[in-house]
Amino acid sequence: MIGTLRTIFARLARDMALALALALALAGAVCLAAAGRAGAGEAAPPALSAVASVDILPGWLTEAGTRMSAVRIRLAPGWKTYWRAPGDAGIPPRFDWSGSSNLAAAALHWPAPEVIRQNGLTILGYRTEVILPVEITPERPGPVRLHASLELGVCETVCLPVALTLSAELAGPGAPDPRIDAALARRPLAAQAAGVAQVRCTAEDIADGLRVTARIAMPALGSGEEIAVFELPDRSVWISEARTRREGGELVAMAEMVPPFARPFPFSPDALRITVLDGSGAAVDIRGCTG
């Protein structure tokens, strides 16, 4: 019975992102309907242009031959958007670069998110402004013409959908941009730079998936609560918020993972990504662990 209930709740939680995406899409229609009622004395929701704007910062050519550019998202006071792993609620930004030309790859460099506690939920995201560095690899020397489709949610007390296209021609050497440099400096530290000595993982079968425990030998990030976020390459696997505790010099984090088919599945320690956050902006990015 307990395993059945956990499966139900895990599926519900896993489907929250899809439900939110639908809600965001409906929100656009609701906004239009509400705007029509505003003349009858009801306040209309804010226009999207009043709460969010998105553009591309062109950046510069790196010594490696790539181009360090960025997507800038500016938000009105009180509004937020989400990190790549949004926590208990929200959907991460989704980029489709397929309309670009002379583009071999576009790699996002995510600044560490803010830990936002709201209505009993833990949300990982950004407020006011976020600059997402994008490292552009061209197929061949010459200008890169970016044409990207972007979807994200922005929320205050209500949520609004953002679905737009971004276009820019990136040519010439460009110039260093302190805004992009500042965003790169806010990326989580690599494990070695943060003093992570060892990461060991164990996985045990549960009725509808796996329970994964990581033991991370690392110094404490700060005096506050340490939060661990588990990620797998397969985003269809629902992953619970990790429970963490300190045992001497080790941070112990445990999370449950439930795939769409709701049964145990092969676990690859090398594929696990763990981000440790302390709520003050400090973060550590750990790629893989030993079994």
Side-chain angles (χ1 to χ4, degrees):
M1 180 65 178
I2 293 175
T4 301
L5 287 173
R6 183 173 55 237
T7 299
I8 293 171
F9 285 118
R11 286 174 173 170
L12 287 173
R14 187 183 63 238
D15 291 342
M16 279 181 65
L18 179 60
L20 181 58
L22 177 60
L24 290 172
L26 292 174
V30 170
C31 288
L32 293 175
R37 294 195 301 270
E42 296 184 28
L48 180 59
S49 60
V51 300
S53 65
V54 185
D55 62 347
I56 292 176
L57 303 179
W60 65 93
L61 286 177
T62 70
E63 293 181 357
T66 60
R67 188 178 195 97
M68 191 62 73
S69 304
V71 174
R72 176 174 59 177
I73 303 171
R74 288 178 285 186
L75 302 168
W79 290 77
K80 60 183 174 292
T81 191
Y82 300 97
W83 188 50
R84 66 167 190 264
D88 292 332
I91 55 174
R94 294 184 174 92
F95 294 89
D96 180 358
W97 305 96
S98 60
S100 303
S101 61
N102 194 28
L103 177 67
L108 286 164
H109 295 276
W110 294 86
E114 181 182 354
V115 179
I116 303 167
R117 306 287 190 180
Q118 184 176 359
N119 300 325
L121 301 176
T122 300
I123 298 168
L124 305 176
Y126 309 100
R127 293 187 274 203
T128 306
E129 179 180 85
V130 58
I131 292 174
L132 298 177
V134 185
E135 190 166 4
I136 302 296
T137 302
E139 291 181 335
R140 59 190 177 278
V144 174
R145 292 178 176 83
L146 286 185
H147 187 81
S149 299
L150 168 62
E151 298 177 3
L152 72 159
V154 294
C155 294
E156 191 202 31
T157 54
V158 297
C159 291
L160 293 176
V162 176
L164 47 80
T165 57
L166 298 171
S167 296
E169 180 165 332
L170 306 178
D177 188 325
R179 297 166 296 182
I180 300 177
D181 279 333
L184 290 168
R186 291 196 298 272
R187 289 176 297 175
L189 290 173
Q192 184 175 4
V196 176
Q198 186 180 46
V199 185
R200 293 174 290 123
C201 293
T202 57
E204 58 180 306
D205 291 351
I206 56 177
D208 44 13
L210 298 176
R211 180 180 295 116
V212 176
T213 301
R215 305 185 71 91
I216 308 167
M218 62 176 287
L221 278 184
S223 58
E225 177 189 10
E226 291 175 301
I227 297 167
V229 182
F230 287 19
E231 297 174 80
L232 290 176
D234 184 354
R235 295 290 176 171
S236 71
V237 177
W238 174 82
I239 303 177
S240 70
E241 182 176 355
R243 296 196 291 270
T244 61
R245 66 181 188 273
R246 272 279 167 185
E247 291 185 0
E250 288 189 331
L251 176 66
V252 182
M254 184 276 291
E256 294 185 351
M257 303 180 178
V258 179
F261 46 84
R263 61 177 180 269
F265 61 97
F267 172 68
S268 173
D270 290 342
L272 181 64
R273 185 174 190 176
I274 305 171
T275 305
V276 181
L277 307 158
D278 77 343
S280 68
V284 180
D285 185 12
I286 300 168
R287 309 290 186 98
C289 55
T290 59

